[in-house]
Amino acid sequence: MTPASIALPLIGASDLAAAFLFMYGLKRMSSPITAPSGIFLAGIGMLAAVLASFLYVFTANPAAQSFLLTNVGLAILALAIGGGLAWWSGRKVQMTAMPQMVALYNGMGGGAAAAIAAVELFGARAPAPTQLVVTVLGALIGSISLSGSLIAWAKLDGVIKQPWRVAGQQYVNLAVLAGTIVVGGFLVFGGAARALTTPQLIALFFVCSLLYGVLMTVPIGGADMPVVISIFNAATGLAVALQGFVLENPALMIAGMVVGAAGTLLTLLMAKAMNRSVGNVLFTNFGAIPRRRAGHTKGSLKPTAAADAGIAMRYAKTVIIVPGYGLAAAQAQQKLYDFVKLLQAAGVSVRFAIHPVAGRMPGQMDVLLAEAGVPYDLIFQLEDINDDFKATDVVLVIGANDVVNPAARTDKASPIFGMPILNADQARQVYVVKRGQGKGYAGIENALFYGENCNMIYGDAAAVMATMIEAVRGLGTAAAA
Ligand code: NAP
């Protein structure tokens, strides 16, 4: 019995286990209740796939053993550095900075796929024609995903504050893409002529691909970034799957395809939630900060005291809470839930309404509320609760803005026109908690705030919730005295 005859079945079994765990883990991630165990299981799958990769060393012929052992040493070093950095950054990252982290990790996935392709293309081994096509395609997609994701990170992190647009940009982008495809085509079909220029051509191909990733992302506005990251996520999955084919590694192929399919579905769902087609997101100038015509919004802003609003909710029958990005920024989820428990103890029916793009990443509000221990049966998605606002006594909008902006329904000139929104304006009374006159992510005025039925409570969400809790508790003490 040789080491190879033991290693090969083990590799096969590990790959099968990894594939099953990826898919089963992903299935469990579709509900907030089962998501933590889904993430854990998919992580175990990843571990199985990594361990299987190390078993390949036993399948090599003895002449190549010392070369492979050097590679194993390098792989362990890379795992230690990458794993250490991921562990440290994962623990340190703020909830509000998660989208940036997702963009970075996604870019690294694309970069890893492109690096595998580079090794294949620059390497001595002459790949078969089909493999060459797949390698070049994977290199193109992986490189675009790497540079595009880095630009997405810079936009989300505020390093790039405005979309960069110039006249004729789309034509330049098209020319760069066409040039990249021509160079890639030459790498594949250039035959004897390419033998002389291959290293330079390969380098040119990577430079053009990376450049295209930058050029296609810089003109896209901030409000479209969630969809863009999701597109790059799907692209990274595809690039990884293609490189799995090149390396004949089934676990890599399956993981890539699962990520690619999940990313594609998420892209379509998010585009639907913003009422935009994917082509429209990529090729139009949505997300520019428009100059609002002075005096366009009717009515006035009517500030009120947090304590009064808290007491009004205590005496309401039905309350719906609409959380948004500001709740995460203030880390006020625990205080909010403490307040909700006080209302419930007083017999008020309280529910949460979640918009699919509330916050800065899909599912951020669900995670935030789950973190505070809010039971899942209090949390409703847009389509399940939107008809109930008109029969609701009070809506508390806390740190949300764009997702309750009625301009999406009525103002054809608005950049968010057509986006489904939560019908908060239809409630009898609306309280909006925010720090001041800050705009939402889309940078536009919100007519809801000026409505007859709306009062503003200015302050950091955590401080406002503390005041509301105190006011409602004070009622109980006063009644007892
Ligand atoms: P939003 O429109 O960005 O509004 C957030 C509001 O929170 C702001 O108006 C801000 O006003 C307030 N705020 C900030 N910090 C606060 C604090 N500490 N305490 C209280 N209020 C605070 O948020 P949203 O309604 O959740 O809408 C999400 C937007 O982000 C959409 O336009 C969406 O397209 C976009 N987006 C979504 C994702 C995603 O996947 N979910 C990703 C990227 C972008 P003040 O400054 O006056 O306090």
Side-chain angles (χ1 to χ4, degrees), residues 44-347:
I44 302 274
M46 198 60 77
L47 194 66
V50 170
L51 291 178
S53 307
F54 282 100
L55 287 177
Y56 274 103
V57 81
F58 297 107
T59 65
N61 66 45
Q65 286 283 357
S66 74
F67 169 70
L68 271 180
L69 282 173
T70 315
N71 277 358
V72 166
L74 288 173
I76 290 175
L77 185 69
L79 272 178
I81 296 174
L85 280 175
W87 180 265
W88 173 76
S89 57
R91 291 183 71 88
K92 192 175 122 329
V93 68
Q94 293 289 325
M95 197 62 180
T96 44
M98 275 293 182
Q100 287 93 308
M101 191 162 174
V102 171
L104 271 187
Y105 281 8
N106 189 51
M108 280 185 237
I116 294 173
V119 170
E120 289 296 314
L121 290 172
F122 282 112
R125 162 171 107 122
T130 323
Q131 274 191 324
L132 194 56
V133 174
V134 174
T135 308
V136 168
L137 205 58
L140 174 73
I141 301 172
S143 305
I144 294 176
S145 190
L146 168 65
S147 56
S149 297
L150 289 179
I151 297 294
W153 165 81
K155 285 185 173 228
L156 286 172
D157 211 48
V159 177
I160 299 178
K161 292 201 165 41
Q162 294 282 325
W164 293 341
R165 293 173 188 141
V166 289
Q169 202 164 5
Q170 302 290 14
Y171 299 106
V172 176
N173 291 3
L174 207 61
V176 173
L177 181 62
T180 315
I181 291 172
V182 168
V183 179
F186 197 68
L187 284 177
V188 176
F189 303 110
R194 110 190 139 85
L196 291 175
T197 50
T198 296
Q200 290 84 341
L201 263 193
I202 296 169
L204 179 67
F205 175 69
F206 276 105
V207 170
C208 290
S209 307
L210 290 167
L211 180 66
Y212 181 70
V214 172
L215 290 178
M216 76 169 273
T217 319
V218 285
I220 303 174
D224 276 338
M225 268 312 122
V227 188
V228 171
I229 291 176
S230 185
I231 291 171
F232 284 137
N233 188 238
T236 293
L238 184 60
V240 167
L242 291 172
Q243 296 316 322
F245 178 82
V246 173
L247 296 179
E248 296 172 14
N249 183 327
L252 211 54
M253 271 190 265
I254 293 170
M257 283 187 282
V258 168
V259 172
T264 307
L265 286 176
L266 185 63
T267 304
L268 296 175
L269 284 172
M270 289 175 75
K272 192 171 157 231
M274 296 167 104
N275 193 36
R276 305 177 63 78
S277 72
V278 176
N280 191 273
V281 169
L282 290 176
F283 303 117
T284 59
N285 285 349
F286 177 74
I289 312 277
R291 293 264 147 254
R292 201 72 191 167
R293 292 184 295 280
H296 184 85
T297 311
K298 293 198 190 80
S300 60
L301 295 168
K302 296 167 286 297
T304 194
D308 294 348
I311 290 168
M313 280 184 264
R314 154 69 182 75
Y315 289 108
K317 277 201 177 66
T318 48
V319 171
I320 295 180
I321 298 176
V322 177
Y325 169 71
L327 180 71
Q331 285 292 299
Q333 64 273 24
Q334 197 61 60
K335 288 204 174 72
L336 176 63
Y337 186 41
D338 288 348
F339 177 65
V340 167
K341 284 190 276 194
L342 283 178
L343 295 184
Q344 286 176 320

Side-chain angles (χ1 to χ4, degrees), residues 223 226 270 274 324-326 329-330 357-362 399-403 433-441 459-461:
M270 289 175 75
M274 296 167 104
Y325 169 71
V357 292
R360 290 292 179 269
M361 61 184 236
N401 192 336
D402 294 344
V403 299
V433 178
K434 65 204 294 287
R435 293 163 309 171
Q437 316 277 312
K439 309 264 192 300
Y441 201 77
D460 177 79

Side-chain angles (χ1 to χ4, degrees), residues 367-382:
V367 174
L368 209 62
L369 297 179
E371 203 180 279
V374 176
Y376 298 114
D377 59 359
L378 295 190
I379 302 173
F380 293 79
Q381 304 302 316
L382 182 141

